[in-house]
Structure formats: C-alpha cells, structure tokens
Amino acid sequence: MSSFDWEEVKRLAADFQRTQFSSAAQKLSERNCVEIITKLTQLKLLDVVFTNDGKSYITPKYLIKEIKDELYVHNGRANLIDLAKSLNVDASVITSLAHEVVKEDSSVRVILGQLIDHSYVINVAEEINDRLQQHGLINVSELARTFDLPADFIHSIIKENSGRIIRGVKQDKQDVQTYYTENYLNRYKSIVKGALAAITRPTQISTIISHCGIKENVFFSIIDSLIESKQVPGIVTERCGSVCSYIPQIYIKSQTEWVKNFFTQNGYLEYDALSRSGINDPKSFIEKSVQSQENLQYLKNCAIGQGLLDQIEASVEEAVASQSWINILSILPTVIDAEDAEIILQKTVKGNRNLSSVQIFNQVYAVSEAFLNTLYSRIADQIMPENVNQAVNSGTYEQYIIESKVSSVASDGDKRELSRKEERKKRTTVGKSGGGTQGRETKTKVTKKKYGQKSSHKIDSDEEELVKPKSFSSFEFVSYEEIQNVIQSDKSFQDEDFDHSEFIENLQLHYYPLINKAALTLAQSVYEARQANINSSKRKLNAELQDNIISLYQDFKLYQRAIKEFNDEDCQSQLNKYLLKSTGTQLTNACFTFISDKCEDFTSPKSYQKIITSVDNKEVKDAFTKLQKAMNGSSIEEFVSSVDDVLSVLNIMMKKMDKKKEKALLESHKQALLNKLEETDDPPLVLHLASLILFQNVTQNMVNASGRFVTNILGVLEKRLPAEDYQPVHQYHTLVLKFFKLSEDDEEYASINGELKENTPLLKQKVSCVTKK
C-alpha cells in the first residue's frame, strides 16, 4: 500500500471518529461501517483479517506480532491449532502466517504442526545432555516419544549441539538410534574385557551379555572395537542373527594341537568328532591346521592322509600278486563306511597302472582278475557240461527255443526294419537331396536299443562278450545255488571270523550270466546239429505264409479301392463291413497263423486271445491285439493301419505293386470269375458272377461283394454300360427277383424258370463278348 493511500485511510479514520462523537444525525451505523470495510477490502485498499466471530478486524502484521508473543509465552513451542483458538482466528490464517514467521526468523521452525523457536531447541538439548550425563546412554526413539518430536529432528538437535551443549556424545555404529558417552563406553569395555579374559572355552555371546548386564547392541559395538584393536584373546564366530559364540585363543590353540596329534597317530580326522569338540566347520578347520602339511583326501564322514592311502594301495597290490582279494574295511578306521571306502578304493585303483585289472565288488572288495578267471574256470568245468547235456537230452532246451520264437522274430524284424530305414536314408538323402535351392535337408532320428541289458558289475573286455542278454534270462542252465556251492568251497572264504555272504552273493550275480551265456552257446551248437532239417522246413513254411499274407493284403487293397466306385454312402459302409468279414478275416487268420506253432481253428475270439497271450514280445502283442479289435470293428482305415503295424513287427516287407503286376492280378481274378461262370448254371450265382465281371470290366477294379449287393452293382453298370449290353443283365436280374418270390405251386414258376434257363447261356455269352471288347 502506497503512502498516499495510507494517508487517505488515516483521514477516513479521523472522519469516522468525528462522526462517532458527533450528534446522532451525523453518525454511521454499524452496518454501514461493515459495508465500507468490505468495499475497501475488495478494492485492495485495506488488508485486514476477520476474527472467527466476525466482530473484529486485525492486520496481518499485528497478528504476526501476536503469534510471536504467544510463542514466547509458551516457552518457544506452540501448537498452531492452539494459537488459532487463543487468537480467535481461522487455523488456515495462522498456518499461513506461521510460515511467514519462519521466513522472517530462521531460528523458528514448523515441526508436526507446531511452531518451535531456538530457545526451545536449546532447552531440549540441555535436557538431552542431562540425561546423557546421568545415564551414559540415550535412545533417540525414547527421546522422540518423550518430547513428542520426530526422530530425525532429535538427531539434528544432537548433531547441532554436540560439543557445545551436549558434551562427549558418540553414536553407536551398530545402532544409529543409540548415543552414549565415552565414560559409559570405557566402563562397559572394561567389564567386557574382564569377562572375555576369564573365559577358557567356547561360550554363547548371549550368556556373556546376560552376565555383564549390558545391552546387546552396545556389547557388539564394544567387542567389535576390541577385536579390531586386538585387545581380546579370542574370536567371535560368524553371526546368524544375534546367535554366535566367543572362542578364546587358548582353546583354539589346544584344539589345534589335539587335532594335529590325533591325525599324526591315526592318519585320519572324523568330522563328527571335530564338531563335538566345538568346531562348527570341520573341513575349513582341517584345511587351515593340517592341509598345509599333508595331502588329504576329503570323504563324506572324515578326511584321511596320504599314509593311510599308501597302506591301502600296498594291501591291494599284495592281493593282486597273490591272485586273491581283500576287504579294505578290515584295514580302514571304523568311522569310514562303505561309500567312503569305495571312493578310496576307486582312487587307489585308478592311480596305479598295476591295479588296472582289479574289479570292485560290494564297494569294499578289491578282487584280482586272476582270481576271477580261476573261479570261473572251476565253475565251468564242474557244473556246465553236465547241465547242458541234461537240458538238451531232456528236451527242456527245445521247449525254451519254441517259447522264444515269437520274441526272436519280432527282434529280428526290428533290426531289419532299422537297417532298411538307414539304407533308404543313404539312398535318398546325403545332406541335401535334389538339386538347386529345392534340396531338402533331412534329420536323423535317434533310436533307443530295445533289447539290451545293463550290467550291474564292471567286467573286462573278454568277459564283456559273455554278459547274459535279455533274451536268455528266461532259461537257466546253472542255478545260483550251484554257483554258490563252488564259490564257498574256495579256501579264501573258509575264514569264520568274517561274514562274506554279500560278497559271495555278488560273485554269484557276476558269474550267473557269464556261465549261462557260455552254457547257452554250447547247447545251441548241439541243438543246431540235431535240428538242421526241422529248421529248414520251418523256414520254407514261413516263406509260404508270407506269400499268402502278401497276396491277401494286395487283394484287400484292390477291393477297398473298388468300393469307392459306389456313390451311396450306406452301400459303401455295407461293402466295407462285408470286406472286413470276408477278406479281412482271411488276412487276420493268416497273420495269426504266422506267429502260431500250428494251424488253429479261428472260429472264435478265444483262439486269437490264446495266441496273443503266448507271445512274450510286448510290441508284437500290442500289434496283434490292435488287429483283433480292428477286425471286429467297422473302420477299413483302422484295419489297414493295424495290418501295417503287424507286418512291420513281423518283418514282412510289402512292396508297392506296379501297374504291370496290378494288371496281371486283375486279369487273373477276372479269368477266375469267368471260369466259375462257365461252370455254373444256377441263375442267382450266374447273375452274381456276371455282375462282378462286368463291374471289373467297366471300372478296372475288382470288387468283393455278396449276392445281396447285385442291385447296387447294377446301379453302377447302368451308368457305364451301353444300353444294348446292360439290358440283358437287367432283364435277367428282374427274372431272378421274380423267381425268388414264387413257390413251386405258383402258375408262373415254371414259365419264369424256363426263361431263366433259356437266358442263362445268352447272358454268359453277352458277358464274354463284353469282356473281350
């Protein structure tokens, strides 16, 4: 507001005063005064603040003075809400003017809705100093609750007045909310040093803290500074939260000496023993105290030195030289279990070329190759010849051959199928096949071996050829008991002080497949000499069965193609069912005959199930089970897919029929139908054969249909045959239908029968002429 305006306001005020003291006729009313003040305020000629009751006006400058006075009265701290009530002014006005006060005076602050000046801060700092000097320790969180001030503000007060009002204060490094004096820290540092100096064995820190009567954070701060300055004769273990221990140096020294002495005397160190002595990380402790002097081998339960390893190596070499075996647990400490012993033994054998032929049994037995070969020869000489001769002479080996025939055929089929696939890939694709940018990249599919067996024992290259394959697991020449008796008779197992039953059992498992494999080879050579002629005849029979299956399968595919010539879906469905029951049944019977030992009567599903049950090979069994279900169904596609799977597992290769061979097959079939037509005079059969021949002639497809499909066949012929060729067949069909509806007593029976006999030669002649066109 300019000085001119202010002078104008003063004149108006004087006029108002004169008016108030003048007579009633010249005085302004209270309402007029309010209107004048309001108008001046709107014109921004006057800046005033209304009180809450609206009866008084006050200028902001005077209100700021009142706020400062109230702040002084309240000892430097006043709540803005309380100021608004005491000054009878709106709280928003007080808040706004409070910030003006802060701008004018930097010593005044607004904290949590309260106006605080420098004098109050000094009082708080003095009180904090009094508490600190009295107790030696203060906590900012407790001070914040006491003074009802933010913790950050308390921190700022302590930092601003440190060294002046607040003397000798230090902040705890572990807990920033805590401050203490140097005297307080020194007093408790002396207590902690005395307590730690008196400890002679590992002690929990929590026990030390409770004994000293000191707060946890202060204790850790003290002990960290003591350890850093090397004033404590010990160490603190790694903390897990607040859980840790103090280990005095004297205990560590005695512990290290005990570990070294024990290792020197025994050659090993047990982890559990070290843990029981108070060592939390035994491996790390061993590395620090012993590793620098010895080449240690760390195992699951213990660590052993080079001296013990050398002793084991010498014992194994002695066993090899004496052509015997040794159990290394007998020379190892009792704390070492079988797993650790196996690790030691494997390392010993691997690191010595002279022990490369040693085999490990039951994790702890080192057996020389000479001992295994000698024991094998003894078992083979004492048991195998007699058992093989008995098995061949009694016929049990021959029965075994018969039972494994199906699985052998399936196995050979898989191998030949794989070889054919590989040959096709080599012929058709070498990297990229074709030329230019249209060459196709091919991928090789990784296949698993289906008929292998994993060996549970390690054997050398000579014995590897004798491992019993899976196909020999069902026949036993030499039993476990017989092998066991020979092994137990060896003098090395006569020591009654030790139980070697598990070792003998593993030797049985080791020799069982080897002996039976050798026995099987011997029995096979004897049996093959006797069965040469029988095997030759069986191979011939298999070839005939394969030719029959291939012929039926080709006929089935040609019959299937002919069905597509019919437009009626219902007719196609009926023809598919008839094809499955006729040619499909014949093809199924031929496949089952191939895997059966003799021709069966396939009139009931039980005969199929009997053959499927007798098959050992799962893949063959699944394929034939699928074929049996497909034959009883109604889907041609499912049946064909099932037949393809069966042919695949039986290793019957189906070559794609070329046009020349297909034409010859169709011609042969048509000629067979013509021969039957010439031989018969039965009208229904003549009509049936004539319709089949004509259908094949016009469609170049042979159809397999019964007499009830003649009408459907004639529907196809009507569209494709000329009228002069179709009309005789149609008339003959009409006569056959009438003949079936009549009995011998009817008047027309004789006449229609006569017409049929008269037209039969004519129809045969017509069919023959049409086929020759």
Side-chain angles (χ1 to χ4, degrees):
M1 184 182 294
S2 63
S3 58
F4 176 79
D5 294 335
W6 181 245
E7 291 297 328
E8 183 67 24
V9 171
K10 287 181 179 181
R11 285 196 299 272
L12 288 173
D15 292 340
F16 288 153
Q17 189 175 12
R18 285 195 302 271
T19 302
Q20 290 292 330
F21 290 114
S22 63
S23 60
Q26 297 178 349
K27 286 184 178 180
L28 294 175
S29 65
E30 184 175 341
R31 180 178 180 182
N32 291 334
C33 292
V34 171
E35 290 178 354
I36 292 172
I37 295 298
T38 303
K39 186 65 175 178
L40 290 173
T41 304
Q42 291 176 353
L43 295 174
K44 297 182 179 181
L45 298 175
L46 186 64
D47 185 12
V48 294
V49 177
F50 292 89
T51 58
N52 289 333
D53 56 9
K55 296 180 178 181
S56 303
Y57 304 97
I58 187 171
T59 63
K61 185 175 181 181
Y62 185 78
L63 189 56
I64 289 174
K65 178 180 177 301
E66 290 291 328
I67 291 173
K68 292 181 178 179
D69 293 342
E70 288 292 330
L71 183 61
Y72 178 78
V73 170
H74 287 83
N75 296 321
R77 179 176 179 178
N79 191 295
L80 297 180
I81 301 300
D82 295 339
L83 289 176
K85 291 180 180 179
S86 62
L87 297 178
N88 196 22
V89 181
D90 188 74
S92 60
V93 176
I94 294 298
T95 302
S96 176
L97 293 177
H99 289 291
E100 293 293 332
V101 173
V102 171
K103 290 180 181 180
E104 292 177 4
D105 189 354
S106 59
S107 65
V108 181
R109 312 176 195 179
V110 177
I111 306 296
L112 296 180
Q114 301 176 83
L115 205 59
I116 297 175
D117 65 1
H118 184 65
S119 62
Y120 182 78
V121 174
I122 297 300
N123 292 335
V124 171
E126 291 175 351
E127 187 169 348
I128 291 174
N129 181 64
D130 293 341
R131 292 192 180 197
L132 183 63
Q133 301 305 323
Q134 181 180 358
H135 301 289
L137 180 74
I138 57 173
N139 186 276
V140 173
S141 299
E142 294 178 359
L143 294 175
R145 288 193 297 271
T146 301
F147 293 108
D148 191 20
L149 291 171
D152 294 341
F153 185 60
I154 298 295
H155 278 294
S156 64
I157 292 176
I158 295 174
K159 290 179 180 179
E160 290 173 2
N161 297 277
S162 178
R164 297 188 296 106
I165 299 175
I166 304 175
R167 301 184 302 278
V169 64
K170 288 189 176 183
Q171 189 176 19
D172 190 352
K173 296 179 180 180
Q174 302 292 332
D175 184 7
V176 295
Q177 300 292 328
T178 302
Y179 292 88
Y180 49 79
T181 62
E182 188 69 30
N183 293 333
Y184 175 86
L185 185 64
N186 291 334
R187 181 171 69 254
Y188 277 104
K189 185 179 291 187
S190 300
I191 295 173
V192 172
K193 285 175 65 177
L196 297 180
I199 294 174
T200 58
R201 58 187 179 86
T203 306
Q204 290 285 340
I205 291 294
S206 57
T207 304
I208 302 174
I209 292 174
S210 62
H211 179 78
C212 296
I214 187 173
K215 292 186 178 181
E216 182 178 311
N217 61 323
V218 176
F219 177 83
F220 281 114
S221 177
I222 291 173
I223 198 169
D224 287 344
S225 63
L226 290 175
I227 292 175
E228 185 177 353
S229 60
K230 298 181 179 181
Q231 299 182 38
V232 177
I235 59 172
V236 177
T237 60
E238 185 176 353
R239 299 177 190 175
C240 182
S242 60
V243 178
C244 56
S245 299
Y246 172 75
I247 304 176
Q249 191 66 37
I250 187 173
Y251 180 82
I252 296 174
K253 183 178 179 181
S254 61
Q255 196 177 54
T256 304
E257 290 179 356
W258 176 84
V259 170
K260 290 182 178 180
N261 293 335
F262 184 90
F263 180 78
T264 303
Q265 295 175 7
N266 300 282
Y268 75 95
L269 290 171
E270 185 184 3
Y271 301 147
D272 289 342
L274 298 182
S275 299
R276 289 192 297 270
S277 66
I279 299 174
N280 295 329
D281 190 355
K283 289 186 179 180
S284 299
F285 187 86
I286 294 172
E287 288 178 358
K288 293 177 182 178
S289 58
V290 183
Q291 179 67 54
S292 59
Q293 304 173 11
E294 292 286 342
N295 182 20
L296 295 180
Q297 173 71 35
Y298 291 94
L299 304 175
K300 183 180 69 175
N301 298 320
C302 64
I304 63 175
Q306 187 62 42
L308 195 56
L309 293 174
D310 294 340
Q311 182 182 352
I312 296 169
E313 185 174 358
S315 300
V316 176
E317 288 179 348
E318 182 180 354
V320 172
S322 62
Q323 299 184 1
S324 182
W325 54 268
I326 185 174
N327 181 0
I328 65 169
L329 281 181
S330 60
I331 57 177
L332 287 173
T334 56
V335 298
I336 299 179
D337 58 12
E339 293 183 10
D340 286 345
E342 183 181 17
I343 296 173
I344 297 172
L345 190 54
Q346 287 179 347
K347 182 178 180 181
T348 302
V349 172
K350 186 177 180 181
N352 192 330
R353 294 182 179 180
N354 298 327
L355 305 179
S356 59
S357 61
V358 172
Q359 295 190 44
I360 299 174
F361 286 81
N362 293 78
Q363 298 179 309
V364 297
Y365 288 88
V367 186
S368 65
E369 183 181 9
F371 176 82
L372 292 174
N373 293 336
T374 302
L375 198 56
Y376 173 82
S377 300
R378 188 180 306 165
I379 296 171
D381 295 341
Q382 293 181 12
I383 305 174
M384 187 172 66
E386 181 181 354
N387 290 10
V388 167
N389 290 330
Q390 183 180 355
V392 174
N393 294 334
S394 64
T396 54
Y397 177 73
E398 182 179 6
Q399 182 63 29
Y400 161 74
I401 293 295
I402 294 173
E403 291 175 354
S404 61
K405 176 182 177 181
V406 174
S407 59
S408 298
V409 171
S411 177
D412 293 340
D414 291 337
K415 293 177 181 178
R416 287 196 290 270
E417 183 65 24
L418 284 174
S419 64
R420 286 198 299 272
K421 288 182 179 178
E422 291 175 357
E423 289 176 2
R424 286 198 297 270
K425 288 180 180 178
K426 289 179 180 178
R427 290 197 302 268
T428 58
T429 59
V430 180
K432 285 188 177 181
S433 64
T437 59
Q438 302 301 319
R440 297 176 58 192
E441 292 188 2
T442 60
K443 295 182 179 179
T444 302
K445 183 178 180 181
V446 178
T447 57
K448 295 183 179 179
K449 294 182 179 179
K450 299 181 179 179
Y451 307 108
Q453 182 184 23
K454 293 182 180 178
S455 175
S456 59
H457 305 287
K458 298 178 181 178
I459 57 177
D460 58 18
S461 59
D462 295 333
E463 294 171 341
E464 199 167 304
E465 299 177 356
L466 301 177
V467 175
K468 184 181 74 169
K470 188 173 183 180
S471 59
F472 301 134
S473 62
S474 60
F475 193 83
E476 181 183 73
F477 289 97
V478 182
S479 65
Y480 282 103
E481 291 74 14
E482 292 173 319
I483 297 174
Q484 181 181 6
N485 294 334
V486 178
I487 295 174
Q488 288 179 339
S489 64
D490 190 272
K491 62 180 181 180
S492 61
F493 297 102
Q494 303 303 317
D495 188 1
E496 298 180 356
D497 296 336
F498 296 95
D499 181 16
H500 302 296
S501 57
E502 292 186 3
F503 178 36
I504 294 175
E505 183 179 349
N506 273 274
L507 285 175
Q508 291 175 243
L509 294 173
H510 173 74
Y511 286 122
Y512 181 83
L514 305 180
I515 295 295
N516 280 282
K517 171 68 176 180
L520 187 61
T521 303
L522 179 61
Q524 184 69 19
S525 61
V526 175
Y527 181 78
E528 286 178 355
R530 296 182 178 182
Q531 302 296 327
N533 295 332
I534 298 175
N535 291 338
S536 177
S537 62
K538 286 186 177 180
R539 285 194 295 270
K540 183 177 180 181
L541 177 60
N542 284 343
E544 292 175 356
L545 289 174
Q546 287 189 28
D547 293 340
N548 185 31
I549 291 172
I550 293 172
S551 177
L552 288 172
Y553 185 76
Q554 291 174 346
D555 290 347
F556 189 91
K557 297 291 286 186
L558 292 175
Y559 289 145
Q560 182 187 3
R561 190 172 66 186
I563 295 175
K564 297 178 182 178
E565 299 291 341
F566 296 87
N567 296 327
D568 187 2
E569 293 183 0
D570 183 60
C571 177
Q572 288 184 357
S573 177
Q574 295 298 325
L575 285 170
N576 285 335
K577 291 180 180 179
Y578 181 76
L579 180 59
L580 284 175
K581 290 181 179 180
S582 55
T583 308
T585 301
Q586 295 176 8
L587 180 56
T588 303
N589 290 345
C591 292
F592 274 92
T593 303
F594 186 82
I595 64 168
S596 62
D597 294 329
K598 57 183 179 179
C599 295
E600 297 280 351
D601 180 16
F602 298 106
T603 57
S604 66
K606 291 184 179 179
S607 57
Y608 289 138
Q609 195 61 38
K610 181 180 178 182
I611 295 175
I612 293 174
T613 305
S614 65
V615 175
D616 293 332
N617 188 285
K618 185 178 183 300
E619 189 175 0
V620 176
K621 183 180 292 187
D622 293 343
F624 274 86
T625 302
K626 182 180 177 183
L627 175 61
Q628 182 186 4
K629 292 180 180 179
M631 189 197 71
N632 296 326
S634 60
S635 174
I636 289 289
E637 290 75 12
E638 184 179 351
F639 178 79
V640 171
S641 176
S642 302
V643 173
D644 289 338
D645 292 342
V646 168
L647 296 181
S648 177
V649 298
L650 294 181
N651 196 32
I652 298 176
M653 181 179 290
M654 291 296 302
K655 295 182 179 180
K656 186 175 181 181
M657 191 165 48
D658 55 15
K659 295 294 183 180
K660 186 176 180 181
K661 187 175 181 180
E662 181 181 336
K663 185 177 180 181
L665 185 60
L666 291 172
E667 187 63 29
S668 175
H669 182 265
K670 183 169 66 173
Q671 190 61 42
L673 293 177
L674 288 171
N675 293 337
K676 289 182 181 180
L677 181 63
E678 290 296 328
E679 294 173 358
T680 183
D681 289 326
D682 182 35
L685 183 56
V686 169
L687 177 63
H688 182 209
L689 293 173
S691 61
L692 293 178
I693 295 170
L694 293 174
F695 180 89
Q696 180 174 341
N697 195 67
V698 299
T699 63
Q700 298 303 313
N701 288 314
M702 60 185 194
V703 65
N704 184 17
S706 62
R708 67 190 185 93
F709 292 102
V710 169
T711 303
N712 302 99
I713 295 174
L714 293 180
V716 177
L717 296 177
E718 183 180 5
K719 298 177 181 179
R720 301 195 182 188
L721 279 177
E724 62 273 12
D725 294 336
Y726 174 74
Q727 195 61 32
V729 182
H730 178 68
Q731 291 176 356
Y732 195 84
H733 176 247
T734 304
L735 290 173
V736 170
L737 292 178
K738 289 181 180 181
F739 181 75
F740 275 124
K741 294 178 182 179
L742 299 176
S743 63
E744 293 182 0
D745 297 333
D746 292 333
E747 296 178 357
E748 298 181 5
Y749 181 82
S751 62
I752 293 177
N753 189 21
E755 288 184 36
L756 285 173
K757 289 182 179 180
E758 182 181 352
N759 290 331
T760 296
L762 297 176
L763 180 61
K764 291 182 180 181
Q765 184 180 3
K766 188 66 175 176
V767 170
S768 178
C769 293
V770 171
T771 55
K772 292 179 181 180
K773 289 182 179 180

mmCIF file of all heavy atoms in Angstrom, residues 125 161 253 258 346 356 415 582 626 639 699 762 771:
data_model
loop_
_atom_site.group_PDB
_atom_site.id
_atom_site.type_symbol
_atom_site.label_atom_id
_atom_site.label_comp_id
_atom_site.label_asym_id
_atom_site.label_seq_id
_atom_site.Cartn_x
_atom_site.Cartn_y
_atom_site.Cartn_z
ATOM 1 N N ALA A 125 18.084 -29.623 24.035
ATOM 2 C CA ALA A 125 19.481 -30.068 24.007
ATOM 3 C C ALA A 125 20.039 -30.174 25.423
ATOM 4 O O ALA A 125 20.786 -31.109 25.752
ATOM 5 C CB ALA A 125 20.317 -29.118 23.164
ATOM 6 N N ASN A 161 24.231 -29.585 18.448
ATOM 7 C CA ASN A 161 24.695 -29.120 19.766
ATOM 8 C C ASN A 161 25.766 -30.006 20.366
ATOM 9 O O ASN A 161 26.110 -29.877 21.540
ATOM 10 C CB ASN A 161 23.506 -29.047 20.729
ATOM 11 C CG ASN A 161 22.467 -28.033 20.287
ATOM 12 O OD1 ASN A 161 22.600 -26.840 20.546
ATOM 13 N ND2 ASN A 161 21.429 -28.506 19.612
ATOM 14 N N LYS A 253 44.101 -72.866 20.447
ATOM 15 C CA LYS A 253 45.446 -73.433 20.404
ATOM 16 C C LYS A 253 45.460 -74.882 20.861
ATOM 17 O O LYS A 253 46.059 -75.759 20.209
ATOM 18 C CB LYS A 253 46.364 -72.583 21.286
ATOM 19 C CG LYS A 253 47.815 -73.033 21.258
ATOM 20 C CD LYS A 253 48.670 -72.119 22.126
ATOM 21 C CE LYS A 253 50.130 -72.589 22.106
ATOM 22 N NZ LYS A 253 50.993 -71.717 22.963
ATOM 23 N N TRP A 258 45.418 -80.766 19.595
ATOM 24 C CA TRP A 258 44.768 -82.081 19.713
ATOM 25 C C TRP A 258 44.498 -82.675 18.333
ATOM 26 O O TRP A 258 44.722 -83.860 18.096
ATOM 27 C CB TRP A 258 43.465 -81.942 20.483
ATOM 28 C CG TRP A 258 42.702 -83.235 20.567
ATOM 29 C CD1 TRP A 258 42.880 -84.238 21.466
ATOM 30 C CD2 TRP A 258 41.654 -83.651 19.681
ATOM 31 N NE1 TRP A 258 42.009 -85.271 21.210
ATOM 32 C CE2 TRP A 258 41.249 -84.938 20.114
ATOM 33 C CE3 TRP A 258 41.034 -83.074 18.584
ATOM 34 C CZ2 TRP A 258 40.237 -85.644 19.483
ATOM 35 C CZ3 TRP A 258 40.022 -83.776 17.942
ATOM 36 C CH2 TRP A 258 39.631 -85.046 18.387
ATOM 37 N N GLN A 346 38.464 -96.803 -5.438
ATOM 38 C CA GLN A 346 38.468 -96.375 -6.845
ATOM 39 C C GLN A 346 39.647 -95.467 -7.152
ATOM 40 O O GLN A 346 40.278 -95.579 -8.210
ATOM 41 C CB GLN A 346 37.150 -95.664 -7.165
ATOM 42 C CG GLN A 346 35.955 -96.596 -7.267
ATOM 43 C CD GLN A 346 34.673 -95.850 -7.572
ATOM 44 O OE1 GLN A 346 34.620 -94.629 -7.485
ATOM 45 N NE2 GLN A 346 33.634 -96.594 -7.917
ATOM 46 N N SER A 356 45.091 -101.877 -12.747
ATOM 47 C CA SER A 356 44.035 -101.551 -13.719
ATOM 48 C C SER A 356 43.059 -102.697 -13.930
ATOM 49 O O SER A 356 41.902 -102.476 -14.315
ATOM 50 C CB SER A 356 44.669 -101.158 -15.059
ATOM 51 O OG SER A 356 45.472 -102.240 -15.548
ATOM 52 N N LYS A 415 15.384 -105.136 -36.124
ATOM 53 C CA LYS A 415 16.729 -104.842 -36.617
ATOM 54 C C LYS A 415 16.737 -104.649 -38.125
ATOM 55 O O LYS A 415 17.385 -103.751 -38.656
ATOM 56 C CB LYS A 415 17.673 -105.975 -36.219
ATOM 57 C CG LYS A 415 17.907 -106.069 -34.710
ATOM 58 C CD LYS A 415 18.792 -107.235 -34.361
ATOM 59 C CE LYS A 415 19.010 -107.337 -32.849
ATOM 60 N NZ LYS A 415 19.832 -108.491 -32.481
ATOM 61 N N SER A 582 -14.962 -110.920 -44.727
ATOM 62 C CA SER A 582 -14.518 -111.938 -45.678
ATOM 63 C C SER A 582 -12.996 -111.916 -45.827
ATOM 64 O O SER A 582 -12.284 -112.667 -45.154
ATOM 65 C CB SER A 582 -15.213 -111.720 -47.028
ATOM 66 O OG SER A 582 -14.978 -110.387 -47.490
ATOM 67 N N LYS A 626 -4.376 -104.987 -31.340
ATOM 68 C CA LYS A 626 -4.987 -103.924 -32.134
ATOM 69 C C LYS A 626 -5.640 -104.479 -33.402
ATOM 70 O O LYS A 626 -6.729 -104.057 -33.797
ATOM 71 C CB LYS A 626 -3.920 -102.885 -32.494
ATOM 72 C CG LYS A 626 -4.437 -101.707 -33.281
ATOM 73 C CD LYS A 626 -3.288 -100.739 -33.596
ATOM 74 C CE LYS A 626 -3.785 -99.593 -34.461
ATOM 75 N NZ LYS A 626 -2.683 -98.688 -34.835
ATOM 76 N N PHE A 639 -8.356 -100.871 -39.776
ATOM 77 C CA PHE A 639 -7.908 -102.240 -40.027
ATOM 78 C C PHE A 639 -6.617 -102.249 -40.837
ATOM 79 O O PHE A 639 -5.682 -102.999 -40.539
ATOM 80 C CB PHE A 639 -9.014 -103.009 -40.755
ATOM 81 C CG PHE A 639 -8.632 -104.435 -41.103
ATOM 82 C CD1 PHE A 639 -8.668 -105.421 -40.140
ATOM 83 C CD2 PHE A 639 -8.221 -104.773 -42.380
ATOM 84 C CE1 PHE A 639 -8.308 -106.726 -40.442
ATOM 85 C CE2 PHE A 639 -7.871 -106.075 -42.692
ATOM 86 C CZ PHE A 639 -7.915 -107.052 -41.724
ATOM 87 N N THR A 699 -14.880 -100.691 -64.563
ATOM 88 C CA THR A 699 -14.191 -99.827 -63.588
ATOM 89 C C THR A 699 -12.716 -100.145 -63.453
ATOM 90 O O THR A 699 -11.972 -99.376 -62.832
ATOM 91 C CB THR A 699 -14.841 -99.950 -62.200
ATOM 92 O OG1 THR A 699 -14.688 -101.295 -61.733
ATOM 93 C CG2 THR A 699 -16.306 -99.578 -62.245
ATOM 94 N N LEU A 762 -27.383 -117.159 -72.913
ATOM 95 C CA LEU A 762 -27.277 -115.868 -73.612
ATOM 96 C C LEU A 762 -26.526 -114.844 -72.754
ATOM 97 O O LEU A 762 -25.719 -114.050 -73.266
ATOM 98 C CB LEU A 762 -28.682 -115.352 -73.950
ATOM 99 C CG LEU A 762 -29.507 -116.230 -74.904
ATOM 100 C CD1 LEU A 762 -30.907 -115.643 -75.070
ATOM 101 C CD2 LEU A 762 -28.806 -116.356 -76.267
ATOM 102 N N THR A 771 -16.434 -108.559 -72.166
ATOM 103 C CA THR A 771 -15.074 -108.582 -71.606
ATOM 104 C C THR A 771 -14.000 -108.615 -72.673
ATOM 105 O O THR A 771 -12.851 -108.251 -72.422
ATOM 106 C CB THR A 771 -14.913 -109.805 -70.690
ATOM 107 O OG1 THR A 771 -15.243 -110.984 -71.429
ATOM 108 C CG2 THR A 771 -15.814 -109.696 -69.470
#
